[in-house]
Amino acid sequence: MKAAIDWTPPRLPVAGGGFFPARHVWCVGRNYAEHAREMGADPQAGSTVFFSKPATALVNADSVAYPANTDSLHHEVELVVLLGRGGRNLAPADALTLVFGYAVGVDLTRRDVQSRAKQAGHPWEMSKGFDQSAPLGAVMPAASWSPAGESLIELEVNGHARQQAVLGDMIWPVADLIARLSREVTLHPGDVLFTGTPAGVDALQVGDRVAARIAGLPELVFGVGQAEEGG
Ligand code: MN
C-alpha cells in the first residue's frame, strides 16, 4: 500500500557500507572546561545543558550553504555518538550498550543569534537547528572504534588549526552523557548525540574549507558555499 505521506529518515553513510537512519539530534553544551570559559560560563556549574536539532539538519556533503540571518557562523567540532538501541533512566555502566557507532561532526551555530537569545532569555533553537547545521562524517561502527582519552579532536579552516584537544578533556564522558540524557527523555534507536566542543570556536566565511578530525574516525571535510536567501 502506498504511504499517504512520502518521508524517510535522513540516511547517514556508514564506513564499510550501509546507512544509519537518523531520528533526532541531541546536543550538549559546555562539555569542555576551556570552551565553557571562552563562552563566559562556569565549567564547575555542574549541570548538563542539553538542546536539540532536527534530524534533517544532518548533512554529509562536499559543501554546506552559509545560512541566512547571521553574520557570525561558528564551527564547533564534536565527537558524535549514534544510538542503535533506546532506553530510559540508564546507569552509566549500561549506557554504552546503546551505541551503534561514532562519527566526527560539526555543530554549526549562528553565534550572533545565540548571543541575542541568551541576553533576551529566549530559546536558542534558531541559532542551532537551521538547515545543514550538523555536517557529519561517515559513521564508524562501535565494534571498530571507541573513544580513548588521548584521542585527538581537531578542526582546521583552510589548513590553519582552530580547535585542538583530546577526548579526555570532556567533563562528562560518553557513558555519563547518555545516562544523564536518558533521565531527561526516552532515548530511541536512530538518536544522534553531539557531545560538545573544545575551545577555539570561531567564525566561518563563504569559500572556507573546513577539515574536522578525531583520531581513528573518517575525516569530515566540507566547504562553505554561497549564502542562503534570508527571511
Ligand atoms: Mn556544540
Side-chain angles (χ1 to χ4, degrees):
M1 196 172 100
K2 194 179 189 319
I5 297 172
D6 186 11
W7 184 83
T8 52
R11 283 152 50 97
L12 309 174
V14 175
F19 291 92
F20 178 91
R23 191 194 80 97
H24 191 85
V25 180
W26 304 102
C27 303
V28 65
R30 303 173 194 169
N31 199 22
Y32 291 77
E34 281 304 313
H35 173 63
R37 281 190 277 270
E38 79 179 343
M39 297 302 293
D42 175 7
Q44 306 303 323
S47 64
T48 30
V49 180
F50 289 111
F51 59 93
S52 277
K53 297 181 188 239
T56 48
L58 292 161
V59 58
N60 184 274
D62 288 339
S63 181
V64 168
Y66 193 100
N69 305 329
T70 184
D71 295 314
S72 183
L73 176 66
H74 271 208
H75 55 75
E76 299 188 354
V77 62
E78 310 203 2
L79 171 65
V80 179
V81 183
L82 299 102
L83 302 187
R85 294 177 45 215
R88 180 80 165 121
N89 294 325
L90 298 157
D94 301 324
L96 294 182
T97 63
L98 273 57
V99 177
F100 169 80
Y102 297 92
V104 180
V106 174
D107 168 15
L108 290 174
T109 303
R110 289 164 165 153
R111 192 70 72 200
D112 45 359
V113 173
Q114 187 189 38
S115 299
R116 288 196 296 269
K118 283 181 178 176
Q119 281 166 14
H122 290 164
W124 295 3
E125 204 75 13
M126 291 299 105
S127 74
K128 290 289 194 178
F130 51 91
D131 291 355
Q132 301 191 317
S133 60
L136 198 78
V139 178
M140 182 69 90
S144 304
W145 188 90
S146 58
E150 68 274 16
S151 296
L152 272 177
I153 176 170
E154 55 189 348
L155 182 140
E156 290 177 0
V157 179
N158 304 326
H160 300 288
R162 291 274 187 93
Q163 297 185 263
Q164 198 166 57
V166 292
L167 296 180
D169 290 343
M170 286 181 156
I171 296 170
W172 296 285
V174 170
D176 293 84
L177 285 178
I178 293 170
R180 281 172 171 256
L181 182 57
S182 80
R183 281 174 234 149
E184 304 284 349
V185 293
T186 301
L187 297 175
H188 296 269
D191 282 359
V192 176
L193 173 61
F194 278 62
T195 61
T197 196
V201 301
D202 207 345
L204 294 169
Q205 310 299 334
V206 171
D208 280 347
R209 196 83 189 148
V210 179
R213 298 185 197 95
I214 295 173
L217 291 180
E219 185 182 29
L220 167 62
V221 178
F222 62 91
V224 181
Q226 286 300 315
E228 285 182 330
E229 288 287 313

